[in-house]
Amino acid sequence: LGLTRVLVARAGADDLARADRLLASAAALEPAVAASQNPDADREGERDLLAAELALARGHRDQAIASLIELSARPLGTSLRARVATRLGVAQADAGRSDEAEVALQAATTAVEQLRDGAHYEETRRALPGELREPYEALFVLRAGRGNTPGAGVALERALTRDFIDRLAAAPAAGGRTIDQAVSDAVAATALRRTLDRRADDSPIVAAASSGSTVLAFFSARRRL
């Protein structure tokens, strides 16, 4: 499955043909795996997610979306549920189904936050470096593309806030730091400080008066700044 994922990402014709064969091999191995391990619905789910990715790589977007919708209705683990919902939301956004994409990506962020709250920061960050941020990025891009600038800002701020919470939860008392020092360090590390103010009459955003320098947050979403 790991090799299949790499081949799908490369998306060459030979790569996709080989990915098909590998998925079939993985399915053929399932009875032996099931006999030696506990039942795991996510194994089948992983294969079906990769099959949908294969369909997308071949341009069969409607088929892939239908498969992802069916897959998202199954009882999946939190990590896989987040990835399925993210991929579904991105595919729906690419197909111009923005309202459906919004629902799917909000479900993905909910699943990701369950994932982040349910395990230690260091463990989840090592295992799932991109998965923890991708739904927020996709939601940011979707809303910005629809002209929903305030909504895009909410997605941006939520992503930065979750990064802040994760950093703070990692080891708040490490090295003899006080909680105040830990909070200060987490704020600095995630660039959350803003001194922007919006007037009630929808005037352009202006920098609030400050005795020091103004720090503006920037956001990198889906490999773009």
Side-chain angles (χ1 to χ4, degrees):
L1 292 179
L3 181 55
T4 302
R5 194 172 295 110
V6 172
L7 293 170
V8 170
R10 293 198 329 194
D14 292 341
D15 295 324
L16 297 182
R18 189 179 177 195
D20 273 328
R21 295 193 294 271
L22 286 170
L23 270 183
S25 297
L29 286 169
E30 179 58 29
V33 175
S36 62
Q37 298 182 11
N38 292 328
D40 184 0
D42 279 7
R43 280 199 303 269
E44 181 182 359
E46 287 279 2
R47 295 197 304 271
D48 290 343
L49 175 57
L50 283 168
E53 294 278 8
L54 265 169
L56 285 169
R58 290 188 166 115
H60 304 155
R61 189 164 54 198
D62 290 343
Q63 173 191 334
I65 289 174
S67 298
L68 289 166
I69 289 173
E70 187 275 330
L71 181 55
S72 67
R74 295 191 215 164
L76 304 174
T78 307
S79 174
L80 182 56
R81 189 168 71 252
R83 285 188 285 127
V84 169
T86 301
R87 198 66 195 94
L88 173 60
V90 171
Q92 289 171 327
D94 290 343
R97 296 161 61 170
S98 299
D99 290 341
E100 296 170 72
E102 174 86 19
V103 172
L105 292 175
Q106 286 196 36
T109 60
T110 298
V112 163
E113 297 201 4
Q114 291 175 354
L115 197 63
R116 297 172 93 149
D117 291 339
H120 191 273
Y121 164 81
E122 294 295 347
E123 295 169 0
T124 52
R125 292 295 284 198
R126 280 197 300 268
L128 311 163
E131 182 177 335
L132 298 179
R133 190 177 176 94
E134 187 178 8
Y136 303 101
E137 297 180 353
L139 196 56
F140 173 86
V141 171
L142 172 68
R143 290 173 174 175
R146 300 180 78 183
N148 181 6
T149 304
V154 169
L156 177 157
E157 290 187 352
R158 189 62 186 169
L160 295 178
T161 300
R162 289 303 312 200
D163 286 346
F164 165 75
I165 292 170
D166 286 350
R167 289 180 182 275
L168 183 60
R177 291 182 302 163
T178 67
I179 189 65
D180 287 344
Q181 290 171 325
V183 170
S184 179
D185 290 347
V187 169
T190 51
L192 284 176
R193 289 160 48 192
R194 288 194 315 154
T195 54
L196 297 180
D197 181 47
R198 178 183 286 277
R199 297 179 185 175
D201 61 357
D202 290 329
S203 298
I205 296 176
V206 297
S210 172
S211 58
S213 60
T214 297
V215 180
L216 304 181
F218 66 88
F219 190 61
S220 176
R222 302 186 68 78
R223 301 184 182 180
R224 297 182 62 183
L225 186 62

